[in-house]
Amino acid sequence: MDIRFEDAEVRFAGRTVLLPVRLDLTERRIGIIGLNGSGKTTFARLINGLVRPSKGRILVDGLDVTAEPDAVRRQVGYIFQNPQNQIILPIVRDDIALGLKNSRLPKGEIEFRVQAMLERLSIGELGGRRAHELSGGELQLAALAAILVTEPRLLILDEPTNQLDLRNRNRVLQTITSLPQQLIVITHDLGLLDGFDRVLLFDQGRLVGDGVPADVIAQYEALAA
């Protein structure tokens, strides 16, 4: 997908949170890094309309995110930093099915797709469990299943390995790596960016780095020193 920022700026309560950004994103794997409060999450949320620009515009495959948010969200899935915030129904299987309810698919087809997604992510044992019983890694995978079942073309993940132990971090990383979708990943876990095509670095609301992972990570480490 082609994501185009045309001088997009964000202001909240008179304060500039994100200075104007102009760029095109077409790469398959894109990382976003920066210190806390740098503007990276605001930038990512502009892509599917969770945040609207105060000035400028964002186009996703030619669709204006502000003018056509529903059409954009059918193409762009977003996983929040705390996946528990987006799991609505208590039973995992029901929550995954929720995204298909408005598709008017027959009940049997919905059940088939949910089961297929559970098996695809190797989390079939989670289908009948309650969300509040899941570990952090299991929650991430359940939230990922609920988004993937709607077949988005682009997936945005906000800190997907945050506060996970090594086993669950590796399990989530393996799942993410295998996804065919275009990915945009916000992360402090710099090892997650190995093999990515492009990395963006934000600092104090400004895009200050844009390039291959090694170069931009080195810039970030110098900035954070």
Side-chain angles (χ1 to χ4, degrees):
M1 298 182 74
D2 179 33
I3 304 153
R4 178 172 298 177
F5 281 73
E6 297 182 348
D7 297 319
E9 177 183 351
V10 178
R11 294 177 63 84
F12 291 139
R15 182 173 68 91
T16 301
V17 178
L18 186 70
L19 291 161
V21 178
R22 173 174 285 267
L23 53 69
D24 288 344
L25 301 174
T26 58
E27 291 80 7
R28 184 169 175 267
R29 295 289 187 263
I30 301 164
I32 302 177
I33 59 177
L35 300 173
N36 290 337
S38 62
K40 58 187 183 295
T41 295
T42 298
F43 172 84
R45 290 185 175 189
L46 284 166
I47 297 171
N48 78 332
L50 287 170
V51 172
R52 292 192 173 192
S54 306
K55 294 182 181 178
R57 65 175 184 165
I58 301 96
L59 302 175
V60 176
D61 269 2
L63 296 171
D64 187 309
V65 171
T66 300
E68 304 171 272
D70 291 341
V72 170
R73 287 176 189 147
R74 284 193 289 270
Q75 303 290 329
V76 182
Y78 196 106
I79 305 290
F80 292 95
Q81 183 171 347
N82 186 349
Q84 195 164 23
N85 292 339
Q86 68 190 91
I87 296 179
I88 299 171
L89 299 180
I91 303 301
V92 170
R93 181 184 299 277
D94 295 341
D95 192 79
I96 297 172
L98 186 62
L100 297 174
K101 295 295 186 182
N102 294 330
S103 63
R104 298 184 179 179
L105 291 170
K107 181 180 178 181
E109 177 66 16
I110 291 176
E111 291 175 351
F112 174 81
R113 291 195 183 191
V114 169
Q115 184 60 34
M117 183 54 61
L118 289 167
E119 292 176 3
R120 175 182 164 189
L121 299 187
S122 300
I123 56 171
E125 75 281 3
L126 302 184
R129 291 180 60 188
R130 294 183 177 275
H132 73 268
E133 299 173 343
L134 305 184
S135 69
E138 289 169 341
L139 277 170
Q140 276 286 3
L141 293 169
L144 187 59
I147 295 296
L148 289 176
V149 79
T150 65
E151 301 181 343
R153 295 173 58 203
L154 167 65
L155 192 62
I156 302 172
L157 299 105
D158 191 349
E159 298 287 358
T161 58
N162 184 46
Q163 297 182 352
L164 298 185
D165 60 30
L166 183 60
R167 179 178 180 275
N168 278 313
R169 184 258 187 195
N170 290 340
R171 187 179 184 189
V172 170
L173 175 58
Q174 183 179 20
T175 301
I176 291 172
T177 302
S178 69
L179 294 176
Q181 280 89 351
Q182 184 179 10
L183 295 183
I184 295 177
V185 180
I186 309 164
T187 187
H188 287 101
D189 183 352
L190 301 180
L192 194 64
L193 304 176
D194 185 36
F196 271 46
D197 304 302
R198 183 176 181 181
V199 175
L200 307 179
L201 170 62
F202 287 86
D203 182 50
Q204 298 182 15
R206 187 188 304 272
L207 178 63
V208 297
D210 181 358
V212 297
D215 292 347
V216 181
I217 288 172
Q219 185 180 351
Y220 176 44
E221 290 173 337
L223 182 70

